[in-house]
Amino acid sequence: MKQDSVQVTGGETALRGAIDAGRVIPGPRRMKGGEAQLGALPGQVGSFDLYRARVRDPGDMEIEILVVPDCPHQRLAEERLRQALDAAGLAGTGFTTRVVGDQAEAERSGFTGSPTMLIDGRDPFAEPGALPSLACRMYRTPSGLSGVPEVGQLRKALRAAADTGGGVQAR
């Protein structure tokens, strides 16, 4: 594998050790503050600092849309999620849609209405005190209440999850 040569303060030995230990993935040089930084995978998140770099492959995100049978918002939820993934630079990230058929499954899944978006098993739009139920769900959006989050809200939730290594509140 061809690697870029990067001059790093702290010595080549430290760099090689970090690469060998799997803490840094060599890649194209990136610029930050006018200095070359060791790059990583497309979509790398976090600091480019050699010793604090945290690389998350966005393809590792597990994204699910949970819906009740015949949910009237399923198609729009899928379309907006795809648009948000594209806008967040995560076009290669897939998602699944799962039908929740009974109350027991709703409780196991943390399903508080259809559609529910889960990023790495967490609902970034969770409302405190919401109980699991087989019902339609309403989202607070900048345009008012809606059956589906807006693309910008989804993009923000996806970027937050990619940046922190897991699903987080998108508020």
Side-chain angles (χ1 to χ4, degrees):
M1 172 192 322
K2 183 178 185 288
Q3 297 178 2
D4 290 331
S5 64
V6 178
Q7 186 173 13
V8 178
T9 306
E12 186 69 17
T13 304
L15 174 61
R16 289 288 144 230
I19 291 171
D20 294 342
R23 292 190 307 268
V24 175
I25 299 172
R29 281 191 278 176
R30 312 282 170 101
M31 299 304 287
K32 179 179 176 188
E35 297 178 24
Q37 300 290 313
L38 188 65
L41 300 172
Q44 174 184 347
V45 296
S47 171
F48 279 100
D49 180 80
L50 175 63
Y51 301 103
R52 291 182 298 188
R54 180 180 48 76
V55 177
R56 177 184 178 146
D57 181 353
D60 288 345
M61 257 194 283
E62 184 179 326
I63 304 171
E64 255 188 323
I65 300 175
L66 307 181
V67 295
V68 294
D70 302 316
C71 173
H73 295 114
Q74 177 179 341
R75 180 166 290 165
L76 181 59
E78 292 168 343
E79 289 171 0
R80 286 192 181 171
L81 179 56
R82 174 50 49 209
Q83 292 169 355
L85 285 163
D86 293 347
L90 302 169
T93 302
F95 63 88
T96 58
T97 299
R98 179 167 47 111
V99 176
V100 176
D102 59 43
Q103 185 64 28
E105 187 177 356
E107 290 173 10
R108 280 192 309 275
S109 303
F111 180 77
T112 58
S114 185
T116 291
M117 315 274 185
L118 298 179
I119 303 173
D120 292 330
R122 296 188 182 119
D123 181 350
F125 304 102
E127 293 285 339
L131 299 174
S133 86
L134 296 174
C136 286
R137 180 168 176 175
M138 297 304 292
Y139 289 87
R140 298 174 199 275
T141 73
S143 303
L145 291 178
S146 176
V148 179
E150 292 183 358
V151 173
Q153 293 174 293
L154 288 166
R155 183 193 52 74
K156 181 178 176 184
L158 291 165
R159 289 306 324 156
D163 289 346
T164 62
V168 295
Q169 295 289 355
R171 296 176 202 238

